[in-house]
Amino acid sequence: MNDDDGQWAAVIGDDYDMPADVDASFRTVRKVAVGHFAVFLCVVVGVPVLTLTVDWWSGGRLIGGMSPSFVMAAFGLYVFFFALAAAAATLSNGVEERMLGAQEREPVDESDDS
């Protein structure tokens, strides 16, 4: 909130995260993103590699005469993309929720009878 002087003033009850907390959260979420990207890259590169190296991957037949490679490209990758995106979003949101936004609480003194 701005004062009359144009300075920022804290409003009681607002949560402010320390720069170290924000930096730690950013590093953790970045590690999560890099890990999910590595899984994404392995699966996306794995489909053509399997097509070139494994005969049954492109020569076998499944339901309706479709090859496993076609089924993976037509349906499996979309299911995988959705599951990976949901996992990444859930994990990243959980990390941010645990690491940021927690209000500082002072310890309660049990001997204080006021």
Side-chain angles (χ1 to χ4, degrees):
M1 172 177 268
N2 276 334
D3 279 352
D4 295 334
D5 303 340
Q7 301 288 326
W8 286 97
V11 176
I12 296 176
D14 282 353
D15 291 335
Y16 294 99
D17 296 311
M18 299 299 295
D21 295 336
V22 174
D23 190 43
S25 176
F26 171 76
R27 285 192 313 269
T28 303
V29 170
R30 183 177 56 196
K31 288 178 188 176
V32 168
V34 168
H36 282 91
F37 177 72
V39 171
F40 169 82
L41 191 61
C42 288
V43 170
V44 169
V45 170
V47 172
V49 168
L50 283 173
T51 302
L52 294 173
T53 59
V54 181
D55 290 334
W56 64 265
W57 183 251
S58 56
R61 295 292 171 235
L62 297 175
I63 301 169
M66 295 184 288
S67 69
S69 178
F70 181 82
V71 171
M72 184 65 170
F75 306 109
L77 286 176
Y78 294 108
V79 172
F80 169 75
F81 293 156
F82 179 77
L84 187 67
T90 302
L91 186 57
S92 295
N93 287 340
V95 166
E96 286 183 5
E97 185 177 314
R98 283 191 306 271
M99 294 181 80
L100 298 176
Q103 289 188 357
E104 301 277 336
R105 292 190 189 3
E106 295 195 20
V108 177
D109 188 12
E110 296 293 330
S111 63
D112 187 17
D113 292 336
S114 14

